[in-house]
């Protein structure tokens, strides 16, 4: 019973992974008891997981319990439950990529390197989460494995965001403490925004992506969804080593982009910026030319990741097997085939030049933009192909430039709307500045998420 109460505190954002690890250290709860509570809740959840690994989870949690009892944890996250987007190979499970075409794929013989490194740190693999088919949608629908719907208090159902839809809902519903996703055009940041959780898109190459089913090799990257920025920082330190201290950040808010958003996103965004200024942070308000240039280039030329996605799936699209695909994803892939390959080659030729221009313009400042210009859209209208395509483009619009420029980004909840849906701000820096970004985002979270356990550990009541 106590483990379930703690799981519910995680679900409501009152605890994060770091706080739960502190409970392990104090002996107030064991990793095995907490894992059992998470597994029970995950088994009741609808369409969030494609595969659960209860035997592995209990075995890993039992070992973590013994280590904490001896006072010898493997890492700060020993015993913490983690889930993996079903693009990651997990030993003895099938990597479906969310597709009916891979429902009978061979079982993986071994963990992807990042999964193995999490296990070496004592983390508990609970299973593999749902996603848009082949990770090719910003909305998170999946007709084969079900859509992990986002429901508001009035009973309306909304898109969870994609493609890491199951990962975001697993965090929002308190099923795991950390869920690893992938991000090619916004697939971590968008579902984090819609579910009101933290999502961190790492710079390309920061985390080992071997054993992860690709979408667009030139743009794919990885990162966690979690309850707090300090959770992402702690995980990053486990995998990349401890980070140095950084000076207080200076923020640049692109108000041109903010002014284009729906009212709840815009109003919550400006209120959050005022809070940062009131807390003593320096905030500048101006358009960032490099971002607007990236937006314009994508609008004029198309998305280079779409070219790579079509090339990856061209053979299947030309075969009878294509009929088994999600028709909305299949149509988007077919439309991608109409783009000139020069879109990709031009992007690759100019990417480094664009990145240098961005870094020069920011001059050390942390960029703040809306993560998505709107809240999670209603689910039922998205069954219409034209509505789906239009909404998908609008949903991805503000995250794609950061992907084009390989900007590490942290999506932070910025508030809610009267509908009960969430809004989000995206903090970004030039490629490779992940440690400084996480430090800046944690400083911002101390102001914008004061009730979040990133700032304090909760002691549970008996």
């Amino acid at each position: 019973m106590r483990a379930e109460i703690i799981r519910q505190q995680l679900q409501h954002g009152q605890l994060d992974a770091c706080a739960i690890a502190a409970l392990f250290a104090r002996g107030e709860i064991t990793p095995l008891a907490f894992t059992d509570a998470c597994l029970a809740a995950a088994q009741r959840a609808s369409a969030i997981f494609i595969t659960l690994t209860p035997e592995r989870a209990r075995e890993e949690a039992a070992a973590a319990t013994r280590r904490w009892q001896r006072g010898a944890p493997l890492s700060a996250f020993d015993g913490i439950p983690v889930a993996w987007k079903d693009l990651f190979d997990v030993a003895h499970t099938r990597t479906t990529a969310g597709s009916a075409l891979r429902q009978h794929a061979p079982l993986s013989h071994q963990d992807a390197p990042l999964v193995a490194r999490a296990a070496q740190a004592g983390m508990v693999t609970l299973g593999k989460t749902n996603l848009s088919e082949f990770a090719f949608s910003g909305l998170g629908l999946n007709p084969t494995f079900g859509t992990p719907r986002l429901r508001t208090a009035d009973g309306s159902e909304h898109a969870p965001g994609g493609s890491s839809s199951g990962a975001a809902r697993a965090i929002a519903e308190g099923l795991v403490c950390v869920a690893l996703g992938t991000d090619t055009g916004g697939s971590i940041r968008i579902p984090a925004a819609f579910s009101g959780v933290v999502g961190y898109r790492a710079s390309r190459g920061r985390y080992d992506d071997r054993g992860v089913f690709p979408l667009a090799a030139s743009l794919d990257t990885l990162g966690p969804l979690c309850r707090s920025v300090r959770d992402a920082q702690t995980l990053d330190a486990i995998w990349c080593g401890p980070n140095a201290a950084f000076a207080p950040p200076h923020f640049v808010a692109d108000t041109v982009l903010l002014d284009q958003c729906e009212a709840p996103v815009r109003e919550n965004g400006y209120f959050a910026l005022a809070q940062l200024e009131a807390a003593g942070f320096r905030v500048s308000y101006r358009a960032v030319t490099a971002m607007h240039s990236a937006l314009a280039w994508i609008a004029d030329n198309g998305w280079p990741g779409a070219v790579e996605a079509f090339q990856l799936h061209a053979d299947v699209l030309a075969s009878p097997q294509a009929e088994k695909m999600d028709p909305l994803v299949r149509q988007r892939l077919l439309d991608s085939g109409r783009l000139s390959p020069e879109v990709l080659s031009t992007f690759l030729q100019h990417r480094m030049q664009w990145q240098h221009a961005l870094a020069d313009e920011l001059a050390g400042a942390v960029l703040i933009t809306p993560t998505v210009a709107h809240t999670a859209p209603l689910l039922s209208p998205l069954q219409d192909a034209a509505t789906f395509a239009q909404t998908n483009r609008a949903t991805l619009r503000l995250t794609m430039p950061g992907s084009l420029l390989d900007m590490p980004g942290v999506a932070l909840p910025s508030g809610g709307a009267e509908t009960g849906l969430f809004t989000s701000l995206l903090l970004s820096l030039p490629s490779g500045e992940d440690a400084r970004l996480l430090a800046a985002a944690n400083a911002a979270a101390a102001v914008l998420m004061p009730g979040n356990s990133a700032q304090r550990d909760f002691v549970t009541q008996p």
Side-chain angles (χ1 to χ4, degrees):
M1 177 63 73
R2 193 162 187 224
E4 173 58 17
I5 291 172
I6 290 169
R7 190 200 66 77
Q8 290 178 17
Q9 289 178 310
L10 173 69
Q11 179 179 1
H12 297 304
Q14 298 167 329
L15 292 173
D16 63 357
C18 290
I20 290 170
L23 297 179
F24 295 162
R26 295 197 294 265
E28 295 188 33
I29 188 174
T30 67
L32 181 56
F34 184 65
T35 293
D36 280 337
C38 291
L39 276 171
Q43 287 164 344
R44 295 191 299 267
S46 175
I48 292 177
F49 282 86
I50 289 178
T51 301
L52 285 170
T53 55
E55 291 183 6
R56 173 174 177 161
R58 290 192 177 101
E59 181 179 330
E60 290 178 334
T65 296
R66 293 190 292 270
R67 289 190 293 268
W68 279 111
Q69 289 171 342
R70 295 196 307 268
L74 293 174
S75 75
F77 275 179
D78 199 347
I80 290 295
V82 58
W84 305 89
K85 185 177 185 176
D86 200 7
L87 296 174
F88 289 80
D89 287 346
V90 173
H92 313 301
T93 72
R94 183 171 287 108
T95 300
T96 70
S99 176
L101 296 175
R102 294 185 56 83
Q103 283 182 302
H104 303 291
L107 300 181
S108 299
H109 295 299
Q110 61 186 14
D111 289 340
L114 203 65
V115 178
R117 290 193 66 187
Q120 290 161 7
M123 298 182 74
V124 175
T125 287
L126 213 73
K128 304 175 75 174
T129 54
N130 204 348
L131 65 153
S132 311
E133 185 172 23
F134 295 129
F136 200 45
S137 157
L139 296 175
L141 281 62
N142 191 305
T144 300
F145 296 100
T147 296
R149 302 165 185 228
L150 195 164
R151 293 180 175 86
T152 52
D154 64 1
S156 60
E157 295 184 336
H158 297 256
S163 61
S164 306
S165 53
R169 296 312 303 158
I171 298 300
E173 298 194 19
L175 309 182
V176 290
C177 298
V178 178
L180 265 292
T182 64
D183 192 311
T184 305
S187 290
I188 289 170
R189 295 160 288 167
I190 290 165
F194 284 175
S195 281
V197 302
V198 172
Y200 161 47
R201 175 212 185 270
S203 296
R204 283 171 33 77
R206 187 166 183 84
Y207 301 141
D208 194 334
D209 64 356
R210 290 174 297 163
V212 181
F213 194 94
L215 175 63
S218 298
L219 290 152
D220 292 346
T221 189
L222 314 176
L225 296 93
C226 41
R227 272 293 175 194
S228 68
V229 178
R230 75 168 181 175
D231 282 353
Q233 278 186 303
T234 300
L235 189 65
D236 186 73
I238 289 170
W239 285 335
C240 300
N243 297 315
F246 294 94
H250 162 214
F251 298 106
V252 171
D254 194 315
T255 48
V256 174
L257 296 180
L258 196 55
D259 288 343
Q260 295 170 358
C261 294
E262 287 184 355
V265 178
R266 182 176 64 251
E267 292 165 5
N268 288 347
Y270 275 114
F271 181 71
L273 294 170
Q275 286 181 295
L276 290 174
E277 285 192 289
F281 289 103
R282 179 183 167 199
V283 182
S284 301
Y285 297 84
R286 59 180 171 84
V288 174
T289 302
M291 281 292 289
H292 290 270
S293 296
L295 277 167
W297 189 89
I298 295 166
D300 290 343
N301 296 276
W303 178 238
V307 176
E308 287 188 289
F310 174 77
Q311 292 171 349
L312 180 65
H313 297 289
D315 289 345
V316 172
L317 289 166
S319 76
Q321 291 288 95
E323 293 301 317
K324 296 181 180 180
M325 295 176 66
D326 174 355
L328 297 172
V329 170
R330 183 179 69 238
Q331 187 58 54
R332 188 175 179 221
L333 283 167
L334 289 169
D335 291 343
S336 299
R338 300 187 182 98
L339 291 174
S340 168
E342 291 183 5
V343 173
L344 177 60
S345 60
T346 301
F347 157 64
L348 294 174
Q349 179 182 352
H350 293 287
R351 172 164 55 181
M352 190 170 293
Q353 173 189 338
W354 295 340
Q355 289 172 341
H356 288 322
L358 170 77
D360 289 345
E361 185 177 4
L362 287 178
V366 178
L367 175 64
I368 299 181
T369 60
T371 308
V372 188
H374 54 262
T375 54
L378 283 167
L379 193 57
S380 57
L382 300 176
Q383 299 306 316
D384 174 73
T387 302
F388 174 89
Q390 180 181 9
T391 307
N392 191 55
R393 285 193 298 270
T395 299
L396 287 160
R397 180 175 179 267
L398 296 181
T399 52
M400 277 182 164
S403 294
L404 197 79
L405 299 165
D406 189 30
M407 302 179 74
V410 174
L412 278 183
S414 62
E418 291 182 2
T419 56
L421 298 171
F422 297 97
T423 63
S424 174
L425 287 177
L426 179 62
L427 279 60
S428 306
L429 273 172
S431 180
E433 295 196 41
D434 296 67
R436 189 161 74 88
L437 173 67
L438 288 168
N442 199 43
V447 176
L448 304 182
M449 303 168 64
N452 187 283
S453 59
Q455 311 313 318
R456 58 192 174 98
D457 288 344
F458 282 67
V459 179
T460 57
Q461 298 299 316

